[in-house]
C-alpha cells in the first residue's frame, strides 16, 4: 500500500507535470505556519467592504509600512493596494500561509481584522488560456452565498492595465468586464485551520471512517451549494479543504472548501469541455470524453472519501501518464471488479462506505447524486452514534 506522501508529490495536475496544484507547479513548504486568531475575523471585513467598489490609482511609490517592516518583510505592491482599499490600519502584518500552483496565500492582519490574501501568480503564455479560466473561477467565488463549509471570497482585486487603476470587485458588481481588468488577488475569509493534505501527511488527523464521514457530509453540503448556483467546482482534493478537528468531545470539526480557481458557470443539463483538475481526483470523462458536467464533482468526492478513509491513494502509479491509464482501466471495470480492486488496495472498509464510493464511481448518468451521497453519509453518521 502506498501511503499518502508529501503534499502534492502524487497529486499531479494536467499541465506540465507539476508536483501539486491545478494549474502549475510549485513545491509546498514542508511546515505550515499557524496563527491563533478568531476564525470569524474575516466576516467583519466582509461587512466593511460590502458597500460600493472604489477606484483608486496606486501612487507611484506606495508608502512603506515602517513599523511592520521591523519585524516582517514589507508588503508587496498588491498587498499595499488591498490594505488601502479595505482599508486596514497600519501597521499591517503579512505572513505567507501556503503556496499553491497558481498562487501564494498570505495571512494579512492589522491586529483587529484578519483576512487571507491569495496573490495570483503570473503564468507563462502557454497556459494563459487556463489562467483566464482560473481567474473566471475566482470571480465565480463571489457568487457563492455564505455557507459554513465554503471559504468566503470577500472581494477580488483587479487592475485596469491602461489606466493603472485598481479596483476591489465585490458580489453583484454590475459593470465588471474581464476584458478591461486583470485579476491580481482574491481577498478571502481567513481560516485558522490546516489543509487536509498537510494534516494527513503530518499525521495531525487519523484517516478512517469517522474522518471520511465527517468530511464527506460537509463537502457534499458545500458542493450542493456550489451546484445550486449553477457552478461546477472541478478541483476536489485534500489540499483544497481546510480542516480543524473538534476542540472538545461532542463539538463539530471545521471543514471549509477553498480555492475557487477552477469553478465555472455551468447550467443544469449543460456540459463543458475544458481539460482541468488534478489527475488523481479527476472523473474519467474529463479527459476521455469530449464533454462533462456537474457529476465530475461527485466522482472526485468518491476519490476523496477513499483517500480520507484509508490514508492512501486510489491509484498505484506515481507517473501521471500511467495514472490516466489506471483511471480508464478502473472505469472500465464492472461494480464487482471495482469493489475487488478497492479491497485489494485497502481491506478494512465499512461496507456502507464502500457502497457509497462505488455508487460515486459509476458512469455520469448512473452516478450517485450528491444529495443521495449526503443522505447515505448522514445515515452512516447516525448509525455510529
Ligand atoms: N482562506 C484561507 N485561509 C487559510 N489558508 C488558506 C486559505 N485559502 C487557502 N489557504 C491555504 O493555501 C493553500 C493554497 O490555496 P489555493 O488552493 O487556493 O491555491 P491555488 O494556487 O489555487 O492551489 P492549486 O495548487 O490547487 O492551484 C491551501 O492549500 C491552504 O493550505
Ligand atoms: Mg488549490
Amino acid at each position: 500500500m502506498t501511503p499518502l506522501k508529501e503534499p502534492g508529490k502524487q497529486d499531479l495536475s494536467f499541465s506540465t507535470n507539476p508536483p501539486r496544484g491545478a494549474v502549475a507547479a510549485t513545491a509546498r513548504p514542508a511546515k505550515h505556519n499557524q496563527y491563533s486568531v478568531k476564525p470569524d475575523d474575516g466576516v467583519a471585513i466582509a461587512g466593511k467592504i460590502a458597500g460600493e467598489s472604489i477606484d483608486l490609482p496606486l501612487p507611484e511609490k506606495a508608502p512603506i509600512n515602517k513599523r511592520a517592516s521591523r519585524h516582517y518583510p514589507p508588503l508587496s505592491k498588491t498587498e499595499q493596494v488591498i490594505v488601502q482599499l479595505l482599508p486596514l490600519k497600519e501597521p499591517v502584518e503579512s505572513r505567507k500561509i501556503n503556496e499553491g500552483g497558481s498562487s501564494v496565500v498570505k495571512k494579512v492582519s492589522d491586529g483587529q481584522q484578519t483576512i487571507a490574501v491569495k496573490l495570483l501568480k503570473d503564468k507563462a503564455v502557454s497556459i494563459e488560456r487556463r489562467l483566464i479560466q482560473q481567474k473566471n473561477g475566482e470571480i465565480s467565488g463571489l457568487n457563492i452565498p455564505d455557507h459554513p463549509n465554503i471559504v468566503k471570497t470577500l472581494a477580488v482585486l483587479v487592475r485596469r492595465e491602461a489606466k493603472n487603476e485598481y479596483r476591489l470587485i465585490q458580489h453583484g458588481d454590475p459593470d465588471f468586464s474581464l476584458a478591461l481588468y486583470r485579476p491580481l488577488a482574491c481577498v478571502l475569509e481567513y481560516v485558522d485551520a490546516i489543509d487536509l493534505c498537510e494534516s494527513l501527511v503530518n499525521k495531525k488527523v487519523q484517516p478512517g471512517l469517522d474522518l471520511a464521514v465527517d468530511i464527506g457530509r460537509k463537502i457534499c453540503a458545500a458542493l450542493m451549494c456550489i451546484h445550486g448556483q449553477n457552478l461546477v467546482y472541478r478541483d476536489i482534493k485534500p489540499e483544497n479543504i481546510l480542516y480543524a478537528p473538534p476542540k472538545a468531545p461532542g463539538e463539530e470539526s471545521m471543514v471549509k472548501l477553498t480555492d475557487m480557481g477552477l469553478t465555472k458557470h455551468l447550467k443544469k443539463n449543460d456540459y463543458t469541455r475544458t481539460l482541468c483538475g488534478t489527475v488523481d481526483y479527476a472523473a474519467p470523462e474529463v479527459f476521455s470524453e469530449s464533454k462533462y458536467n456537474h457529476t465530475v464533482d461527485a466522482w472526485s468526492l468518491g476519490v476523496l472519501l477513499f483517500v480520507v478513509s484509508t490514508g492512501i491513494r486510489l491509484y498505484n502509479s506515481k507517473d501521471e501518464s500511467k495514472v490516466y491509464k489506471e483511471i480508464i482501466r478502473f472505469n472500465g471495470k464492472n461494480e464487482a471488479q471495482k469493489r475487488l480492486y478497492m479491497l485489494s488496495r485497502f481491506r478494512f472498509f465499512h461496507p456502507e462506505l464502500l457502497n457509497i464510493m462505488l455508487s460515486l464511481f459509476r458512469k455520469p448518468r448512473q452516478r450517485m447524486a450528491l444529495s443521495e451521497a449526503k443522505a447515505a453519509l448522514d445515515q452512516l453518521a447516525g448509525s455510529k452514534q
Side-chain angles (χ1 to χ4, degrees), residues 205-277:
V205 288
Q206 187 64 32
L209 179 66
D210 289 353
L211 187 68
V213 170
D214 183 25
I215 301 281
R217 294 168 77 193
K218 290 168 181 166
I219 293 302
C220 264
L223 286 173
M224 285 160 68
C225 169
I226 290 171
H227 290 188
Q229 297 302 302
N230 289 331
L231 296 162
V232 57
Y233 180 73
R234 303 195 293 184
D235 205 14
I236 286 293
K237 58 180 175 181
E239 291 89 329
N240 289 341
I241 297 167
L242 298 167
Y243 175 78
K247 291 202 172 80
E251 281 190 20
E252 278 291 319
S253 65
M254 180 172 64
V255 176
K256 283 185 189 266
L257 189 60
T258 190
D259 195 355
M260 299 298 138
L262 293 178
T263 307
K264 182 184 177 167
H265 283 277
L266 190 68
K267 289 199 200 106
K268 278 196 186 74
N269 306 324
D270 263 9
Y271 288 89
T272 185
R273 293 160 202 280
T274 323
L275 183 64
C276 65

Side-chain angles (χ1 to χ4, degrees), residues 49-99:
I49 62 172
E52 287 172 23
S53 353
I54 324 151
D55 287 347
L56 184 87
L58 185 74
E60 268 302 281
K61 271 197 170 178
I64 292 170
N65 180 348
K66 280 194 187 126
R67 274 181 64 193
S69 66
R70 272 187 221 146
H71 303 290
Y72 308 109
L75 302 182
S76 70
K77 205 169 176 179
T78 306
E79 287 173 277
Q80 287 179 30
V81 178
I82 290 173
V83 165
Q84 283 181 31
L85 286 176
L86 282 174
L88 295 184
K89 281 199 221 99
E90 301 280 346
V92 173
E93 170 193 349
S94 164
R95 282 208 185 174
K96 184 168 151 183
I97 302 173
N98 213 337
E99 188 161 351

Side-chain angles (χ1 to χ4, degrees), residues 321-334:
S321 60
K322 288 187 184 151
V323 177
Y324 285 123
K325 287 182 190 150
E326 274 197 66
I327 298 173
I328 301 286
R329 262 204 310 279
F330 178 67
N331 190 41
K333 293 180 195 292
N334 64 30

